[in-house]
Amino acid sequence: ETTTVTADLLSQTQLPITIAGDSIDALQLYAETLFSRHKTVCIMNFAQLQKYSVVLGYHSALTSSLTNNRLVGWLEEFSKTIYATIVCVHDNAVYVAANGTVITTRPFNSTPVNTNHLVAACSVWAMQHPARTTEAIATALTQILILYSKTHH
């Protein structure tokens, strides 16, 4: 029931929204609606992104054996076909893809990325700067990296 209500919201409004965690999995049936929205940030792991690329019928396979450069190239091309901004956690690094632009972080040392921090920071920055979502999320990631470097030495 919550998934149906969320899907209705996605199709009936253009308000900014961030989708993450279990909601990413739950909304797979509404992939077209989710990825065709502006002001939408989808925070997901690599496996979730793989599933969505298949559901959306994207022509190029996303495999775990892709090198970092090939993954960046894949995200660059894929993000040209959708309106949503993708934030993907893979191999302890974060990739942000929107409109053919990809920003990556260096890996987060040995500490796994805290998804809750990531979702909160990306959501707030994206809503505060809706015209510059990619740059706003890059700023959020920079803040998270600084926090991690100070607290996880």
Side-chain angles (χ1 to χ4, degrees):
E1 189 173 306
T2 303
T3 301
T4 305
V5 170
T6 304
D8 287 346
L9 266 173
L10 290 172
S11 63
Q12 295 173 12
T13 181
Q14 284 302 310
L15 293 172
I17 191 165
T18 299
I19 304 291
D22 292 342
S23 296
I24 288 289
D25 294 321
L27 289 168
Q28 236 177 60
L29 292 174
Y30 306 96
E32 288 285 338
T33 302
L34 181 61
F35 281 84
S36 64
R37 292 183 85 251
H38 294 278
K39 300 180 194 171
T40 302
V41 178
C42 298
I43 301 175
M44 58 183 60
N45 62 40
F46 189 81
Q48 290 169 321
L49 181 57
Q50 281 180 310
K51 290 175 190 172
Y52 269 91
S53 70
V54 170
V55 168
L56 291 169
Y58 189 63
H59 67 276
S60 180
L62 177 61
T63 62
S64 58
S65 63
L66 288 178
T67 64
N68 184 58
N69 287 342
R70 290 189 187 256
L71 176 57
V72 168
W74 188 94
L75 285 165
E76 181 181 325
E77 292 304 314
F78 181 68
S79 69
K80 290 177 184 176
T81 67
I82 61 173
Y83 291 113
T85 299
I86 297 171
V87 179
C88 180
V89 179
H90 179 59
D91 285 344
N92 224 22
V94 181
Y95 299 80
V96 180
N99 303 314
T101 300
V102 180
I103 298 169
T104 66
T105 66
R106 59 180 166 74
F108 279 66
N109 298 331
S110 60
T111 306
V113 177
N114 182 317
T115 308
N116 293 332
H117 288 162
L118 183 67
V119 171
C122 290
S123 297
V124 169
W125 276 89
M127 283 191 252
Q128 290 176 338
H129 305 279
R132 300 182 63 92
T133 302
T134 306
E135 294 88 342
I137 291 173
T139 302
L141 292 173
T142 301
Q143 287 186 332
I144 292 170
L145 281 168
I146 291 169
L147 175 68
Y148 268 66
S149 69
K150 289 180 180 179
T151 59
H152 294 95
H153 264 89

